[in-house]
Amino acid sequence: MATGRLEQQGKDSAPVAFADGVRSGVPLSRSVLDAIPRTRLFALLDQQPALTVLQAPRGFGTRSLVASWLHRGGASGRDVTWVDATAAAEHSTADAAERCGEQIRNLSDLGARLLVVAGVPSAWAAMVLEAVRDILERCPSANAVVTLHGTIKPSHAAAVRDIDCRWIGAEQLCFTVADTVELCRAKDLSLGEEKCADLRNALSGVPPLVATAVSMLRIAPVAPVDADRRLVPPVDRVVDDYVQQRLAGLDDAAREGALGVAVLRHCTVVEASETTGLESCEELLERLDSVGLMFGRFDGVHRSWVWPAAVRDRILDLARRERPDSIDHALVRLAEENLAAANYADAAAYAVDGSEWDTAVHLIDEHWSDLVAQDFEMLVHLLRVIPDEIADRRPGIAAGRALFLNTLAGHPMLHVDIPTDPDELAVVGAGPDAAEILHVGLVQAIALRMAGSLREAGDRAATLIPLVDAMQAHQPHNVTAQLPTIRLQWAIGMQLAGDLHTATSEFELSYRDALKAGFDFVVLNAAGSIASNWAILGDPMRADEWITAESRVDTSVGYWDDMIRVGGRVARTLVALDRIDHDQAKATLDLLGVPPAGEELWGLVAYAHTQHALSTGDAYTGVAWLHRIIDGHRGLHQPGALSDVLLTATEIDLHLALGNGNRARTLAESDTTGHPLIMVATARVELLTGHPDEARAALSRITWPSCGWPRAHLEALLIEAAATLYTDSDNATRAWVRAVTLAETFGNRRVFATVPTRARDELAAATGIAVPDGIPDSVFPDMVVEIALTPRELAVLVQLDRGVERKDLADTLFVSYNTIKTQLRSIYSKLAVHSISEALVRARELGLLK
């Protein structure tokens, strides 16, 4: 097939590009042209182990997937030989299978070709895979891809166990949210990402279900699920047709077996046999797998099967109608068995399936920390399906629904008055209303946090500490299991509000409780958060201790993994910067990336990025990045919050590094918090613009070192030393010696790059105490120019900015026309511009005009 380019028709169609190389027999049908790019699966195919096997029921699009991958540039530069077993498989006989195997073995020397064998039925799999293995052993430079219809059996893996093989099963082939978004776009269906996610999740991403539902929704454009998260009628009919069609293809025995297995959310052969009473269910499960009702899993040793949720729900409804008593009894038994085995997510799910609401809410209430850690998505599903009248009687369930289902707006708990007096809360903590008050307070604290009222959220959380202390003393069974997660939530609120020391104390309590209970997601979150607090405060050595504690939990916690590692990654970045290891800092920043709109710790991530920009001499990028990220998180960027303090101090420093003294001063003067970090930045403005006495005056507003911010204290000592270098040598020496000693104690090398290089060299020479080796030049210039306009000159600019014509300025300001001319000449000279328009632009850049 010649190298070329074929454009699909349609306004939004993506081009299909033929890669270099001869592509013998690779289909180019309408289904291939219309196939959406599956980026995640293309990446797996691009890895090209010796053999890749894609296993899925018919209708999952494996043949079109491989063909579209090749036509979009997969296996670029390689020749391809395509063997299509689809037609031959219609005559599913032993002779046909042998002929297919012989056809593969008789291929001439493949060299470095890619061999694709598509549409192999499960019954042929072992024979075809053995033939593929033989040719790969004969041609070591070749690779192969096999698409297999049906289930994976141990014999299939045994046929290729001696070669490098990747198995891609039906679950991996299911659509992701991104795939669903792309499919809707390609079909001109405007759902939006959130509704696409609803559609994908409701249908478990099963390709034929999602594709058919998208086609249906084009005809009847509605949201795929209603307010109660139930499938809307058009999508519901798609699921019903899918299930009925596949059940109709089963014989009576297999259909009965499917109804019996439907009580199990997932199972092995043994579990299915025990539940249905059938001697062996292996053939039954394989049959359900091959028709697309269940998904088979094989880890090389064990086999198991799982239902797509929507499919199971439909078959379970059928089973309940045909045999209601036995189904409900089996579901209750499964709930009890899983509870005894501490499988709380499955236990609660089976209780919900059997409408055993009391059991379900008890399990969720007692073990919600386990559920959050084990299967958060299952917990969310359970909270959605519990009837309102059941949930409203259990404060813990109501709190969970309010927090995890985004139902905080207008929630009744927000209007409940709870005690705030510590003594009163201590009394409540011993009484029967303690759990309810605790959950109400927790919901209110998080609601305030989500609304951006960070200080109020932190204060509300702090008031509940005496309540928890009393509950631990008098009724620990009502709080112990939930306490690690509760303390974690409180601490996050305190951290965001800027109360880092109290937050660290709560994080430590949460860490210890979670470590004892085995809640890895809380352990990781708490340890990383403590590390970030110490790194921000300016104690890299303490941060290191908690980075090490976080690294001891060497596991993924699924849904929460990236989210809970943000704090630890911020800590690693700041510690690396303090040690002037810019490469390590950059590597960790790449993991952090740009914080999404919903990331609560966005301010910490922004601080890490902008501090890296400042430290590496890229202040301009730092300012641009800072403004961009603040604009994306305005609702959470509250005055006095941690993000406000960190980013205000950083922006002042970035402008100083750029030599923009006016902008830095404007920011410094706008601060009303008096925070140590901002006071240090303000003092630096005065120092670098030639006002050392004012720098010392700014520093005198903070009590050092009891302010609790080692980073600010250390930088303040260095500014003090530089400010008194020429006027009070004894004070300068004393401040320099203390700074050097503290820097060594904390392991902070970067701090010496915040002192003007000339002042640093002169201090080292005067005291005989040099800075450590390898410290780069200061990130700040020795002096920063600050342009000062007189009040009258500023008044001229203000009037011009308001639109007053030049000829009218004299009358507006009650001065002569010659005076205006003189003032304009002075303004042009100071701003280094030549016109009014240039003057106004420059004045805004400098912060002279609001």
Side-chain angles (χ1 to χ4, degrees), residues 512-579:
R512 288 202 294 269
D513 291 343
L515 197 62
K516 189 184 303 180
F519 297 157
D520 285 350
F521 81 100
V522 177
V523 171
L524 281 168
N525 201 333
S529 297
I530 296 168
S532 68
N533 283 358
W534 284 119
I536 290 167
L537 287 168
D539 195 331
M541 291 188 175
R542 285 193 183 180
D544 258 344
E545 294 173 10
W546 288 99
I547 290 172
T548 301
E550 182 198 41
S551 66
R552 292 194 189 107
V553 186
D554 186 18
T555 184
S556 170
V557 289
Y559 180 92
W560 297 96
D561 203 59
D562 281 336
M563 187 186 307
I564 66 177
R565 295 183 189 275
V566 169
R569 288 169 178 169
V570 167
R572 284 176 168 84
T573 301
L574 296 178
V575 168
L577 290 176
D578 282 343
R579 290 172 180 158

Side-chain angles (χ1 to χ4, degrees), residues 236-260:
D236 194 57
R237 284 195 295 274
V238 169
V239 179
D240 190 58
D241 291 345
Y242 180 90
V243 171
Q244 292 295 347
Q245 181 182 9
R246 280 152 181 77
L247 285 177
L250 303 175
D251 57 34
D252 290 344
R255 184 183 185 280
E256 285 299 302
L259 297 185

